[in-house]
Amino acid sequence: MGIRVWPYGHWYDSGEPSPYRDTSICFSPNIFGSALGRNLSRAGADHLIRLLLLNALSSCKSSADALAYQDDVYIFLGMGLSMKALENSLPQYELDPCDLQFPESERLSPYDFSSGDSCLEIEEDVEHLSAKERKLLQLVEMGFLIDEASSAIEASGPDTDITELMDYISAARMNTSDEQQELPCQNLHDDEQPGPSHQHGGLSTSKKRKKLFKEEEIWENKQEFWRRKQKQSYKKQAKSPDYEDIVHLPKLMIGFGVPDHPLHMSHRTLPKSAVGPPYFYFENVAWTPKGVWTTISRFLYNIEPEFIDSLYFSAAARKRGYIHNLPIENRFPLLPIPPMTIQEFLPHTRSWWPSWDYRSKLNCLQTCHASVQTTNKIRNALESWIDEVPPERTQKYVLYECKKWNLIWTGKNRVSVLEPDEIELLLGYPINHTRGASRTDRYKSLGNSFQVDTVAFHFSVLKKMFPNGISVLSLFSGIGGAEVALHRLGIPLKNVVSVEISEVNNIILRGWWEQTNQKGNLIELGDIQKVTGERLSELIHSLGGFDLIVGGSPCNNLTGSNRLSRNGLAGEQSVLFHEYYRILYTVKGIMDIMS
DNA sequence: CTCATAATGATATTCTGA
DNA sequence: TCAGAATATCATTATGAG
């Protein structure tokens, strides 16, 4: 007897007998698509089940978890079933990972069936700095030059106490120079100290220089430190063998085309299985760790991601990848067109904007902003250059910080962070959209949201299709970027089911819904992991299906700004990507049955 | 408890000049 | 063409005040 593999969304409705009646098993359609709905041979099923169990058991967080993730396999256990039960239901299969023919790279770590705990521990964090490097960086941050710091460590060993190392360096300085050299932290305002970092810009001999700022000095040294470290790691790693498998980001991030730009692509053909209804729209950051977009695309019908920089829609950059099955013909931009440069958007900054700050666009709006310390340091560094243009090294330092933190000029030598109101406008939201939440929360929610004009450009094709309103399933809604975009396009919102766990964001969306006098239904669901197939089925039957499924899954573990847990798709928050396509497949499955 | 503040690197990619 | 430099990046955490 063969074993039938059921696509999730069909199993509970079909009434056909299955050896796993209480367990639904779903594979990524691209990997096991050929197995879906077919009767497999005993051997084929055997292999599949083994593969599935191995993957599931090694990636499941605990036996009580209903959901198990692995890049290419997705399992959903039916109600009341635990991993244990699944395991018990298959006693005939000897589960020994070693006798399976996995490629070495996919070999799973040993696991223990009796323990419910995870066997998938994230490997020890990306190897941090070595003890030696840590010491070196510490000294560099104190203002010592890299070369003297590293020779001190070479001589005394990496375990030497930091104060001893400092003594060593000052002693060494005494020997190499007749002049008394003081420690950098104590005195940086006098004449130069010898060292490589002073060769920048050939200014070391200039009498014009009045002050040598500690901040600039340390910044330059740190840059040098990371440059050297990068060089080392570059040498170490040869070119990656699976280079071709990786989705490459386009040089010009214009996707399939943006307004006022020659079209890159006028139409495309989608795989049959991906064609709507419903339409779907997925978003995430463009710059992810290697291979992430390849994986995402594989789960979403191998559709080519559309990489777009919101630079072409506003005064701020926002590089994102979008995977969707919307038509791309006859798109039109949202009106009015917002200001496209910083100077147009913030005219009052013009009078303070130095000529050497060549920026006309802001960088990506993030969830964090610069500290007052940073802006003070910049002011201090600039204030000594009365009536003259600061030297190149100062300009470089200031520009680096301004770009990094999106600082704008609000006074003579004074830079400031953007206000939440300004960010709202830059992202295309109505002003005061997030008002009411704490300042911190506003920055956070806005930093995590869609750029409305960009999304609206993609959604504009829906306007003709749904003149009587649209039903939207909005996953990871946040502050409602998709809803705002549709509303601004003039597409009536018939039903909106918003799945968002953050109460702050829910309040913001609800507030907007009321303020804009929406006539449709707003249904709020909290935790996406608790949205079951049954619940979706109820909703689909009562609302008559969804026209659009939109969502941007958490990017926390993908973005380069994350210093601590940039673990890729397996990371704590970004793993919820799997929920996106689980729900997409489920809804698609249920709607297929209905039609 | 909430809120604000400040300190905390690393990576992938593009650019550039020889 | 290519090595090295330059650039950009939807963040997390500890801490302290109220």
Side-chain angles (χ1 to χ4, degrees):
Chain A
M1 181 187 86
I3 293 174
R4 193 153 182 178
V5 181
W6 300 94
Y8 182 68
H10 284 264
W11 66 278
Y12 55 87
D13 255 358
S14 63
E16 287 189 52
S18 154
Y20 304 106
R21 190 72 186 87
D22 299 324
T23 311
S24 76
I25 303 172
C26 172
F27 300 96
S28 160
N30 300 311
I31 305 301
F32 294 111
S34 58
L36 287 181
R38 289 204 192 147
N39 286 313
L40 299 175
S41 70
R42 184 75 204 195
D46 191 3
H47 181 72
L48 262 180
I49 297 292
R50 280 166 169 242
L51 185 70
L52 182 134
L53 274 176
L54 280 170
N55 280 300
L57 290 168
S58 67
S59 64
C60 200
K61 285 201 184 98
S62 77
S63 63
D65 274 0
L67 298 168
Y69 303 116
Q70 178 71 25
D71 262 9
D72 293 333
V73 180
Y74 167 66
I75 303 177
F76 182 76
L77 298 179
M79 297 79 66
L81 257 183
S82 65
M83 268 299 169
K84 200 78 186 168
L86 180 60
E87 174 199 329
N88 290 337
S89 72
L90 294 162
Q92 65 271 42
Y93 297 113
E94 178 83 26
L95 293 163
D96 179 3
C98 297
D99 70 4
L100 279 163
Q101 293 170 356
F102 284 119
E104 202 60 16
S105 58
E106 289 174 25
R107 183 67 54 82
L108 299 155
S109 54
Y111 47 83
D112 177 9
F113 281 152
S114 57
S115 117
D117 285 336
S118 163
C119 312
L120 178 87
E121 285 307 326
I122 308 207
E123 307 105 37
E124 270 313 303
D125 276 350
V126 210
E127 39 177 33
H128 282 300
L129 301 177
S130 69
K132 187 178 152 192
E133 284 176 324
R134 212 190 307 269
K135 271 288 189 322
L136 188 58
L137 183 58
Q138 206 175 342
L139 288 169
V140 164
E141 281 174 348
M142 293 169 79
F144 293 102
L145 302 177
I146 299 184
D147 287 335
E148 53 188 17
S150 75
S151 57
I153 294 172
E154 287 300 333
S156 326
D159 299 326
T160 317
D161 190 70
I162 198 83
T163 51
E164 277 182 49
L165 289 170
M166 287 164 70
D167 288 344
Y168 180 94
I169 296 174
S170 40
R173 284 185 177 178
M174 302 272 269
N175 290 338
T176 54
S177 165
D178 293 334
E179 292 170 36
Q180 174 92 22
Q181 297 282 343
E182 293 184 48
L183 294 188
C185 295
Q186 292 159 350
N187 190 350
L188 280 165
H189 299 269
D190 288 336
D191 280 335
E192 302 91 35
Q193 296 155 358
S197 69
H198 292 269
Q199 290 158 8
H200 292 281
L203 281 158
S204 50
T205 54
S206 163
K207 288 184 182 173
K208 274 195 163 185
R209 191 162 86 217
K210 290 152 194 166
K211 280 188 174 183
L212 179 56
F213 275 95
K214 195 174 96 184
E215 310 310 336
E216 288 176 21
E217 179 84 5
I218 293 174
W219 174 70
E220 282 178 356
N221 279 335
K222 267 173 107 170
Q223 298 274 310
E224 178 70 20
F225 175 86
W226 290 113
R227 213 175 300 145
R228 290 191 190 188
K229 191 168 156 47
Q230 192 176 19
K231 206 187 282 181
Q232 282 173 6
S233 69
Y234 184 78
K235 277 180 190 166
K236 226 190 292 176
Q237 67 171 57
K239 273 215 166 174
S240 167
D242 46 16
Y243 187 70
E244 289 128 26
D245 284 348
I246 290 168
V247 174
H248 289 100
L249 300 184
K251 199 167 147 189
L252 272 180
M253 272 207 199
I254 57 170
F256 303 142
V258 294
D260 304 326
H261 225 276
L263 282 192
H264 167 235
M265 190 193 276
S266 54
H267 78 278
R268 58 172 178 171
T269 43
L270 293 167
K272 246 185 197 165
S273 51
V275 176
Y279 288 111
F280 71 90
Y281 189 82
F282 174 84
E283 178 260 11
N284 215 315
V285 289
W287 289 348
T288 62
K290 274 181 190 166
V292 167
W293 271 108
T294 316
T295 307
I296 291 177
S297 167
R298 208 164 61 216
F299 278 107
L300 297 174
Y301 309 98
N302 279 321
I303 296 176
E304 180 194 342
E306 179 171 14
F307 291 105
I308 297 214
D309 193 336
S310 295
L311 196 67
Y312 301 101
F313 293 89
S314 71
R318 207 170 185 76
K319 295 173 184 60
R320 296 291 178 272
Y322 305 86
I323 292 186
H324 58 87
N325 62 349
L326 293 165
I328 59 173
E329 294 86 12
N330 302 319
R331 292 166 162 182
F332 57 88
L334 200 56
L335 296 174
I337 305 284
M340 297 297 276
T341 64
I342 311 174
Q343 288 75 19
E344 280 173 58
F345 177 63
L346 299 164
H348 62 277
T349 63
R350 267 186 191 157
S351 45
W352 308 113
W353 208 276
S355 59
W356 44 268
D357 183 350
Y358 53 84
R359 290 178 299 159
S360 65
K361 298 273 189 182
L362 291 162
N363 277 339
C364 186
L365 304 168
Q366 309 208 92
T367 57
C368 291
H369 56 265
S371 59
V372 195
Q373 310 274 352
T374 309
T375 51
N376 281 343
K377 282 178 198 166
I378 290 175
R379 200 178 57 242
N380 288 334
L382 288 174
E383 264 175 357
S384 59
W385 306 97
I386 310 158
D387 298 330
E388 38 184 330
V389 180
E392 199 187 324
R393 73 195 298 261
T394 308
Q395 290 180 15
K396 256 184 152 171
Y397 161 71
V398 173
L399 258 180
Y400 174 84
E401 296 290 344
C402 285
K403 286 176 176 175
K404 183 173 174 186
W405 294 110
N406 263 333
L407 300 170
I408 52 169
W409 298 89
T410 52
K412 190 173 170 60
N413 295 332
R414 211 179 76 206
V415 289
S416 320
V417 296
L418 289 163
E419 290 296 311
D421 309 10
E422 294 162 344
I423 299 181
E424 281 166 352
L425 293 177
L426 281 167
L427 290 174
Y429 293 89
I431 195 152
N432 292 329
H433 184 72
T434 57
R435 193 167 181 174
S438 79
R439 206 177 151 80
T440 319
D441 284 340
R442 291 180 76 181
Y443 279 115
K444 191 173 167 196
S445 294
L446 285 163
N448 281 315
S449 61
F450 285 169
Q451 208 286 332
V452 171
D453 299 83
T454 313
V455 174
F457 181 65
H458 296 160
F459 285 171
S460 60
V461 295
L462 296 169
K463 183 159 184 176
K464 274 190 183 159
M465 287 186 234
F466 300 99
N468 300 319
I470 192 168
S471 287
V472 186
L473 174 56
S474 171
L475 309 174
F476 313 106
S477 324
I479 58 175
E483 290 83 346
V484 173
L486 290 167
H487 177 68
R488 284 193 57 193
L489 281 166
I491 303 175
L493 293 165
K494 207 159 59 182
N495 300 301
V496 172
V497 176
S498 151
V499 184
E500 168 63 45
I501 199 165
S502 153
E503 192 51 31
V504 175
N505 288 340
N506 282 328
I507 290 169
I508 293 171
L509 179 60
R510 220 177 297 145
W512 173 82
W513 189 265
E514 283 154 11
Q515 281 163 37
T516 50
N517 294 316
Q518 295 291 332
K519 301 281 178 266
N521 308 306
L522 175 64
I523 299 167
E524 292 179 65
L525 308 178
D527 187 352
I528 193 165
Q529 298 191 67
K530 293 186 181 142
V531 177
T532 60
E534 287 71 29
R535 186 84 180 92
L536 288 168
S537 181
E538 281 168 31
L539 285 166
I540 290 167
H541 284 101
S542 67
L543 302 177
F546 291 109
D547 304 312
L548 176 66
I549 300 177
V550 41
S553 73
C555 70
N556 309 28
N557 310 111
L558 308 179
T559 170
S561 336
N562 190 339
R563 291 147 147 81
L564 284 150
S565 53
R566 196 186 187 195
N567 319 328
L569 271 183
E572 198 183 343
Q573 286 87 30
S574 296
V575 78
L576 292 177
F577 158 71
H578 297 272
E579 296 290 348
Y580 180 85
Y581 69 82
R582 171 178 72 92
I583 291 185
L584 175 63
Y585 294 165
T586 307
V587 171
K588 224 167 154 46
I590 298 173
M591 286 177 62
D592 280 349
I593 295 172
M594 282 171 66
S595 59

